[in-house]
Amino acid sequence: MTAPNAVTMADPLWRPSTNAPKLWAITAALTWAPIIVAEIVAAILIPGLPTWLVGAIAAVTVLGAAVHILMVPAWRYRVHRWEISDTAVYTRTGWFTHERRIAPISRIQTVDTERGPIDRMLGLATVTVTTASSAGAVKISALDQDVADRTVAQLTEIAGSNAGDAT
């Protein structure tokens, strides 16, 4: 039962780019690559390792990598959302643990854009909204570059017209 005068919050409206799952899959693959290489090197260089042990470790690694590379990006894409209003920046992120962040516009100190090599290859960017919060910055990840540029411009305009003190 909801309390009278309770505020109900809608989920943020916008998803990241349709290229976001590709970004997350590539990042996951790059995370697993050194682990797989290390296992192959160990299997070759350490004499006497039981075949069943090498096989079991390889099976667990392949299963973990497959889930992380093939399933987690799609799962994350279903969860990740973001939205900007005249009063706040809203994000919902996570794949296993979901996190909702709401940053009031009046608390915005800086708005930054970041593009790593894989982001640039896929035409993506991350917008970071730094606020006067001990929880840290709010990140809107895996946006198409033009959407990120428009978002930064919109946030800058809204924050600039807001009379808040950003502390």
Side-chain angles (χ1 to χ4, degrees):
M1 180 169 169
T2 1
N5 300 329
V7 176
T8 57
M9 291 178 44
D11 283 333
L13 292 175
W14 310 112
R15 288 181 187 253
S17 168
T18 54
N19 281 333
K22 291 177 195 166
L23 171 69
W24 296 327
I26 292 168
T27 302
L30 291 173
T31 300
W32 283 97
I35 295 168
I36 293 168
V37 168
E39 287 181 15
I40 292 169
V41 168
I44 292 169
L45 295 180
I46 300 174
L49 279 178
T51 306
W52 68 267
L53 180 60
V54 172
I57 291 171
V60 168
T61 300
V62 167
L63 180 62
V67 167
H68 194 192
I69 295 167
L70 301 175
M71 295 175 67
V72 169
W75 189 356
R76 283 180 72 180
Y77 187 74
R78 283 189 213 105
V79 172
H80 281 228
R81 298 279 187 284
W82 67 279
E83 185 175 353
I84 296 169
S85 74
D86 288 341
T87 58
V89 177
Y90 304 87
T91 61
R92 186 181 71 184
T93 60
W95 62 274
F96 189 70
T97 300
H98 297 184
E99 177 184 61
R100 292 180 79 157
R101 299 278 311 270
I102 302 166
I105 296 292
S106 63
R107 306 288 292 203
I108 292 176
Q109 294 177 329
T110 63
V111 181
D112 304 302
T113 305
E114 178 184 349
R115 298 184 73 210
I118 302 167
D119 295 303
R120 288 192 305 272
M121 180 178 77
L122 296 172
L124 301 176
T126 295
V127 173
T128 302
V129 181
T130 305
T131 64
S133 167
S134 62
V138 174
K139 290 190 176 224
I140 307 171
S141 299
L143 298 179
D144 287 318
Q145 179 64 48
D146 61 327
V147 173
D149 292 342
R150 286 195 311 269
T151 300
V152 168
Q154 179 185 5
L155 281 170
T156 302
E157 182 180 330
I158 293 169
S161 63
N162 191 300
D165 64 359
T167 59

